[in-house]
Amino acid sequence: MQKNARVEYDYSVAKAFTFTAILFGILGMIVGVTLAFQMAFPHLSNLAGEYGTFSRLRPLHTNTVIFGFTLSGIFAGWYYMAQRILKVSLRESPFLMFIGKLHFLLYFITIILAVVTLVAGYTTSKEYAELEWPIDIIIVLWWVLWGVGIFGLIGIRRERTLYVSIWYFIATFMGIAMLYLFNNMEIPTALYSGYGSWMHSVSMYSGTNDALVQWWYGHNAVAFVFTVPIIALIYYFLPKESGQNVYSYKLSILAFWGLMFVYLWAGGHHLIYST
């Protein structure tokens, strides 16, 4: 393609994630409303036996909204924005197109498995990290695939300058990779004790250490899913839709590194129910 030729962007992967965000957004909110009614009318927990209890629906709600709805929107945003910001199309790299579609497929399978296992009662009992170890392995696979897609597109970009949104996406990838791996270190119960379920697992940490690692992760599940990538979306769509340039690039640098150095290490407050 010539240097000044018009780039034909491919939004197929972005659209797939967008439809998934809509689907799991609706499902997650329905479960959330159901839980709200159960808190007001506790007898509603008995409508579907063990499968409709608050204790099973609550993690289903949080995981569907956080990882089914929000993360789908973030991935959709990446596959839409990155091509435009970096001035390169997924069509130009069959390899990266394959990676993107495989990323979506494994991700969608993960969400379906999450719904089935959580309703069935399989859980690590660690908030925002309830999914058991076989699903964790699949999550690591598609997270690595997303990383390959991120750095692959950056590597073949035409636009030399990395817009601030790209920084936030890179931080999201690296931050969650570190957090998820460390917090989900677990051993299948049958392997650890010689009996019990192979699906169930026990944490490699114990006592206070387990609590500290869990809320280092839990706090940053909010930071690096609900905050950092959302800021990436805002930095692109807000100037685009308003027609106003970013006021200060220096402030964006201050905000980025302030968030990275402070937010990342502030998880302990969850353990003392304080700010």
Side-chain angles (χ1 to χ4, degrees), residues 182-214:
F182 276 100
N183 188 52
N184 289 279
M185 294 289 187
E186 53 207 16
I187 306 170
T189 306
L191 183 64
Y192 179 76
S193 63
Y195 59 89
S197 171
W198 277 97
M199 266 295 292
H200 185 264
S201 62
V202 291
S203 174
M204 289 184 66
Y205 312 107
S206 60
T208 304
N209 288 336
D210 193 32
L212 287 169
V213 174
Q214 157 59 23

Side-chain angles (χ1 to χ4, degrees), residues 20-204:
T20 304
I22 295 170
L23 171 64
F24 288 112
I26 293 171
L27 293 177
M29 303 305 173
I30 289 173
V31 176
V33 171
T34 303
L35 291 168
F37 273 99
Q38 286 185 352
M39 294 183 78
F41 308 102
H43 65 275
L44 294 177
S45 294
N46 302 319
L47 293 179
E50 63 183 298
Y51 303 105
T53 58
F54 187 94
S55 59
R56 292 204 185 182
L57 293 183
R58 202 269 177 172
L60 177 63
H61 164 67
T62 54
N63 279 271
T64 304
V65 172
I66 295 173
F67 303 117
F69 169 60
T70 307
L71 209 50
S72 288
I74 289 163
F75 290 144
W78 163 260
Y79 284 105
Y80 175 83
M81 289 166 46
Q83 297 180 80
R84 300 171 71 91
I85 293 173
L86 300 171
K87 297 294 187 290
V88 64
S89 173
L90 278 175
R91 289 181 183 176
E92 298 174 57
S93 173
F95 172 72
L96 292 179
M97 177 68 84
F98 170 76
I99 292 295
K101 290 182 176 179
L102 184 60
H103 171 204
F104 170 75
L105 179 63
L106 291 178
Y107 170 80
F108 193 84
I109 290 171
T110 300
I111 301 302
I112 298 300
L113 289 175
V115 170
V116 172
T117 55
L118 288 172
V119 171
Y122 290 100
T123 172
T124 64
S125 299
K126 300 179 80 169
E127 193 164 18
Y128 310 136
E130 289 94 349
L131 303 180
E132 282 290 3
W133 66 271
I135 301 178
D136 286 338
I137 293 173
I138 303 174
I139 290 172
V140 170
L141 287 175
W142 56 252
W143 198 260
V144 170
L145 288 174
W146 187 43
V148 172
I150 290 174
F151 294 107
L153 272 182
I154 291 173
I156 64 173
R157 73 189 189 276
R158 290 187 179 83
E159 176 58 57
R160 293 296 94 191
T161 302
L162 290 181
Y163 184 60
V164 61
S165 292
I166 301 296
W167 311 349
Y168 280 93
F169 276 120
I170 293 173
T172 300
F173 168 74
M174 297 184 70
I176 292 292
M178 171 180 66
L179 294 157
Y180 202 87
L181 285 173
F182 276 100
N183 188 52
N184 289 279
M185 294 289 187
E186 53 207 16
I187 306 170
T189 306
L191 183 64
Y192 179 76
S193 63
Y195 59 89
S197 171
W198 277 97
M199 266 295 292
H200 185 264
S201 62
V202 291
S203 174
M204 289 184 66

Side-chain angles (χ1 to χ4, degrees), residues 235 245-254:
Y235 264 117
N245 293 330
V246 172
Y247 174 73
S248 170
Y249 215 61
K250 289 182 180 179
L251 281 178
S252 71
I253 295 172
L254 178 66

Side-chain angles (χ1 to χ4, degrees), residues 175 178-179 216 219-220 223-224 259-267:
M178 171 180 66
L179 294 157
W216 173 59
H219 175 81
N220 286 291
F224 285 88
L259 197 67
M260 294 305 112
F261 282 122
V262 178
Y263 205 159
L264 188 63
W265 307 112

